[in-house]
Amino acid sequence: MDVQAEHDRQAIDILKANDRGGFTVPTSRLYPYQWNWDSAFVALGFMTFDIERAWREIEMLFEGQWDDGMVPHILFRRDDPDYFPGPSVWQAGKNAMPSSGHSQPPVAASVVRELVDAGGEDGERRGRVLFDNIMAYHRWFHRERDPERMGVIGIVHPWESGRDNSADWDDALMRVEVAPDLGRYQRRDTNHIDAEERPKQAQYDRYLTLVKFGRDCGWNHENIARNGPFLVADPGIQFILMRADRDLLALAERCGKDAEADEIRGWLKLSEAGTERLWSERMSAFCARDLRSGDFSGAITSASALVFYADAGSAEQRAVMVEHLTRIASKVDYAFPSLDPEHPRFEPKRYWLGPVWMIMNYMISRGLAEAGHIALAERIRSDSRRLIEAQGFYEYFHPETGEGCGGGDFSWTAAMWLAWAGPGWDRTKAA
Ligand code: GLC
């Protein structure tokens, strides 16, 4: 068997091993539940060898959708003492399906569009059913995470961004006062992974303070977004949702859903105007912004790089962003680091403060390729391939040494290999 076929086989085995009966855990032990955007990316991996199973992954994710449209970031199908904070801390979700209390980047629409495009009558039917769920999900984001209708999506917890300890949240998070009655708790993440790679204790106390605020108000999202201790505009969700809205619009047009198509066009217009608010003149870049104080984060992260994936920004802004991305890529052996290496908080091994994440690479590279920046897009893809070939399917990778870090046999890394970083992508493109 050649080396690439061997990697394909390993990736497929990982997805199968992490399958818990129609949904996939990110990796066993460290993350024993179904995560929102993990599942969406994982479906792209399944799609390369079992499209039925790919649909199932998304359908099971939407089983946890709340009545108000939200799709939570974690679904706790059964309690697992290996993970903290579990269902008893969140106290959220439906009776039959306990969950966390906020969402995660909404990649599902973009994945469903790919599944429908892959063809087949059954796909058309399943896409139609899911369309209404996804529409309700996007309505929820535009309503509850942009209550002032500014065209800017705010997150109420760093975990909602999917980029937990990013420098994007530092200032706003440190302004959160730790709840005096937080009580003692025992982290579980540091039982599995070296504490040097994980968020620090001062951050963890605040993460739990934010969970407590949500729980104490019964997860009333209007209240949380208006009065909660944390509301920060996330360029990651902003750009991912814009992309997902465009993909949802394509689905609406395909299904003849005219009223919904108009509604989505309205969201896109608003987001295109709102994106301007994320442009920091000082940094000359798209950055996160504290929606309470108006302050920019001052960090260029892998989320800033998603501007091309969203097809957002003016020609001038995009030209400057390409310069930033080229500079950042030139500073490391393996692109694309989660934080600009010239930022003082850059730590190449600490989670979202430097490491390379395959799912971000996939979106950044795809956006760049679509915008015609082929060399940079290919650099990111060949770095991704080299990392996996040399190290295996880790959760994230050191951008300088290439060392695989975090959890091993990771579902979304395996999925990104199959769907994009490995040779399968070349075969699709050649077809
Ligand atoms: C971590 C990541 C998040 C991911 C989850 C499960 O919390 O920051 O993005 O969804 O792990 O893999």
Side-chain angles (χ1 to χ4, degrees), residues 26 31 35-38 73 83 104 159 161-164 198 351-352 357 359 395 410 412:
Y31 301 119
W35 260 258
N36 181 330
W37 72 330
D38 294 66
H73 101 290
Y83 184 81
Q104 237 187 352
W159 292 340
S161 72
R163 299 178 298 117
D164 307 10
R198 301 289 304 183
Y351 221 37
W352 289 94
W357 295 72
I359 44 132
E395 184 178 7
F410 218 85
W412 68 15

Coordinates of all heavy atoms in Angstrom, one line a residue, residues 26 31 35-38 73 83 104 159 161-164 198 351-352 357 359 395 410 412, ligand 1:
P26 N -15.0 14.1 19.1 CA -13.8 14.6 18.6 C -12.6 13.7 18.8 O -11.7 13.5 17.9 CB -13.6 16.0 19.3 CG -15.0 16.3 19.7 CD -15.7 15.0 20.0
Y31 N -12.6 14.6 24.8 CA -13.9 15.2 24.4 C -14.9 14.1 24.1 O -15.1 13.7 22.9 CB -13.7 16.0 23.1 CG -12.6 17.1 23.3 CD1 -11.5 17.2 22.5 CD2 -12.9 18.2 24.2 CE1 -10.6 18.2 22.6 CE2 -11.9 19.2 24.3 CZ -10.8 19.2 23.5 OH -9.9 20.2 23.6
W35 N -19.7 17.5 19.5 CA -19.5 19.0 19.4 C -20.0 19.5 18.0 O -19.9 18.8 17.0 CB -18.0 19.3 19.5 CG -17.5 19.7 20.8 CD1 -17.2 21.0 21.2 CD2 -17.2 18.9 22.0 NE1 -16.8 21.0 22.5 CE2 -16.8 19.8 23.0 CE3 -17.3 17.6 22.2 CZ2 -16.4 19.3 24.3 CZ3 -17.0 17.1 23.5 CH2 -16.5 18.0 24.5
N36 N -20.5 20.7 18.0 CA -21.2 21.3 16.9 C -20.3 21.4 15.6 O -20.6 20.7 14.7 CB -21.7 22.6 17.4 CG -22.5 23.4 16.3 OD1 -22.3 23.2 15.1 ND2 -23.5 24.2 16.8
W37 N -19.3 22.2 15.7 CA -18.6 22.4 14.4 C -17.7 21.2 14.1 O -17.4 21.0 13.0 CB -17.9 23.8 14.3 CG -16.7 24.1 15.1 CD1 -16.3 23.6 16.4 CD2 -15.6 25.1 14.8 NE1 -15.2 24.2 16.8 CE2 -14.7 25.1 15.8 CE3 -15.4 25.9 13.7 CZ2 -13.6 25.9 15.8 CZ3 -14.3 26.7 13.7 CH2 -13.4 26.7 14.7
D38 N -17.2 20.5 15.1 CA -16.5 19.3 14.9 C -17.3 18.4 14.0 O -16.8 17.8 13.0 CB -16.2 18.5 16.2 CG -15.2 19.3 17.1 OD1 -15.6 20.3 17.6 OD2 -14.1 18.8 17.3
H73 N -23.3 24.1 21.5 CA -21.9 23.7 21.1 C -21.6 22.2 21.5 O -20.8 21.6 20.8 CB -20.9 24.7 21.5 CG -20.1 24.5 22.7 ND1 -20.6 24.5 24.0 CD2 -18.8 24.3 22.9 CE1 -19.6 24.4 24.9 NE2 -18.5 24.3 24.2
Y83 N -15.3 14.3 31.6 CA -15.3 15.7 31.0 C -15.9 16.7 32.0 O -16.9 16.4 32.6 CB -16.2 15.7 29.7 CG -16.1 17.1 29.1 CD1 -15.0 17.4 28.3 CD2 -17.1 18.0 29.2 CE1 -15.0 18.7 27.7 CE2 -17.1 19.2 28.7 CZ -16.0 19.6 27.9 OH -15.9 20.8 27.3
Q104 N -21.7 27.5 18.6 CA -20.3 27.4 18.1 C -20.4 27.8 16.6 O -21.5 28.0 16.1 CB -19.8 25.9 18.2 CG -18.6 25.8 19.0 CD -18.0 24.4 19.0 OE1 -18.5 23.4 18.5 NE2 -16.8 24.3 19.5
W159 N -15.8 30.1 24.4 CA -16.0 28.8 23.9 C -17.0 28.8 22.7 O -17.0 27.9 21.8 CB -16.6 27.8 24.9 CG -15.6 27.5 26.0 CD1 -14.3 27.6 25.9 CD2 -15.9 27.0 27.3 NE1 -13.7 27.2 27.1 CE2 -14.7 26.8 28.0 CE3 -17.1 26.6 28.0 CZ2 -14.6 26.3 29.3 CZ3 -17.0 26.1 29.3 CH2 -15.7 26.0 29.9
S161 N -16.8 30.8 20.2 CA -16.0 31.0 19.0 C -15.4 29.8 18.5 O -14.9 29.7 17.4 CB -14.9 32.0 19.3 OG -13.9 31.4 20.1
G162 N -15.3 28.7 19.4 CA -14.5 27.5 19.0 C -13.0 27.7 19.2 O -12.2 26.8 19.0
R163 N -12.6 29.0 19.5 CA -11.2 29.3 19.6 C -11.0 29.8 21.1 O -10.7 30.9 21.4 CB -10.8 30.4 18.6 CG -11.0 29.9 17.2 CD -10.6 31.0 16.2 NE -11.4 32.2 16.3 CZ -11.0 33.4 16.7 NH1 -9.7 33.6 16.9 NH2 -11.8 34.4 16.8
D164 N -11.1 28.8 22.0 CA -11.3 29.1 23.4 C -10.4 30.2 24.0 O -10.9 31.1 24.6 CB -11.1 27.8 24.2 CG -11.9 26.6 23.7 OD1 -12.5 26.8 22.6 OD2 -12.0 25.6 24.3
R198 N -2.7 24.1 27.7 CA -4.2 24.4 27.9 C -4.3 25.8 28.4 O -3.4 26.5 28.9 CB -4.8 23.4 28.9 CG -4.7 22.0 28.5 CD -5.6 21.6 27.4 NE -7.0 21.9 27.6 CZ -8.0 21.6 26.8 NH1 -7.7 21.0 25.7 NH2 -9.2 21.9 27.1
Y351 N -2.5 25.9 22.6 CA -3.9 25.8 22.1 C -4.2 26.8 21.0 O -3.7 26.7 19.9 CB -4.8 26.0 23.4 CG -6.0 25.2 23.4 CD1 -6.0 23.9 23.0 CD2 -7.2 25.7 23.9 CE1 -7.2 23.1 23.0 CE2 -8.3 24.9 24.0 CZ -8.3 23.6 23.6 OH -9.5 22.9 23.7
W352 N -5.0 27.9 21.3 CA -5.3 28.9 20.2 C -4.4 30.1 20.2 O -4.8 31.1 19.7 CB -6.8 29.3 20.3 CG -7.7 28.1 20.0 CD1 -8.3 27.2 20.8 CD2 -8.1 27.7 18.6 NE1 -9.0 26.3 20.1 CE2 -9.0 26.6 18.7 CE3 -7.9 28.3 17.3 CZ2 -9.6 26.0 17.6 CZ3 -8.5 27.6 16.2 CH2 -9.3 26.5 16.4
W357 N -4.3 24.7 13.3 CA -5.5 23.8 13.4 C -5.9 23.5 12.0 O -6.1 24.4 11.2 CB -6.6 24.5 14.2 CG -6.2 24.8 15.6 CD1 -5.4 25.7 16.1 CD2 -6.8 24.1 16.8 NE1 -5.3 25.6 17.5 CE2 -6.2 24.7 17.9 CE3 -7.7 23.1 16.9 CZ2 -6.5 24.3 19.2 CZ3 -8.1 22.7 18.2 CH2 -7.5 23.3 19.3
I359 N -8.7 22.6 10.6 CA -10.0 23.1 10.1 C -9.9 24.5 9.7 O -10.5 25.0 8.8 CB -11.1 22.9 11.2 CG1 -10.6 23.3 12.6 CG2 -11.6 21.4 11.3 CD1 -11.4 24.2 13.3
E395 N -4.7 16.9 17.3 CA -5.7 18.0 17.5 C -5.2 19.3 16.8 O -5.9 20.0 16.2 CB -6.0 18.1 19.0 CG -7.1 19.1 19.3 CD -7.4 19.2 20.8 OE1 -6.6 18.6 21.6 OE2 -8.3 19.9 21.2
F410 N -7.5 12.4 16.2 CA -8.6 13.4 16.2 C -9.5 13.4 15.0 O -9.0 13.4 13.9 CB -7.9 14.8 16.4 CG -8.7 15.7 17.4 CD1 -8.4 15.6 18.7 CD2 -9.6 16.6 16.9 CE1 -9.2 16.4 19.6 CE2 -10.3 17.4 17.8 CZ -10.1 17.3 19.1
W412 N -11.6 15.6 13.5 CA -11.6 16.6 12.4 C -10.3 16.7 11.6 O -10.3 17.1 10.5 CB -12.2 18.0 12.9 CG -11.3 18.8 13.9 CD1 -10.0 18.7 14.2 CD2 -11.9 20.0 14.6 NE1 -9.7 19.7 15.1 CE2 -10.8 20.5 15.3 CE3 -13.1 20.6 14.6 CZ2 -10.9 21.6 16.1 CZ3 -13.2 21.7 15.4 CH2 -12.1 22.2 16.2
Ligands
GLC1 C1 -11.9 22.6 22.0 C2 -11.7 23.5 20.8 C3 -13.1 23.6 20.1 C4 -13.5 22.2 19.7 C5 -13.5 21.3 20.9 C6 -13.8 19.8 20.5 O1 -12.7 23.1 22.9 O2 -11.3 24.8 21.1 O3 -13.0 24.4 18.9 O4 -14.8 22.2 19.1 O5 -12.3 21.3 21.6 O6 -12.8 19.4 19.6

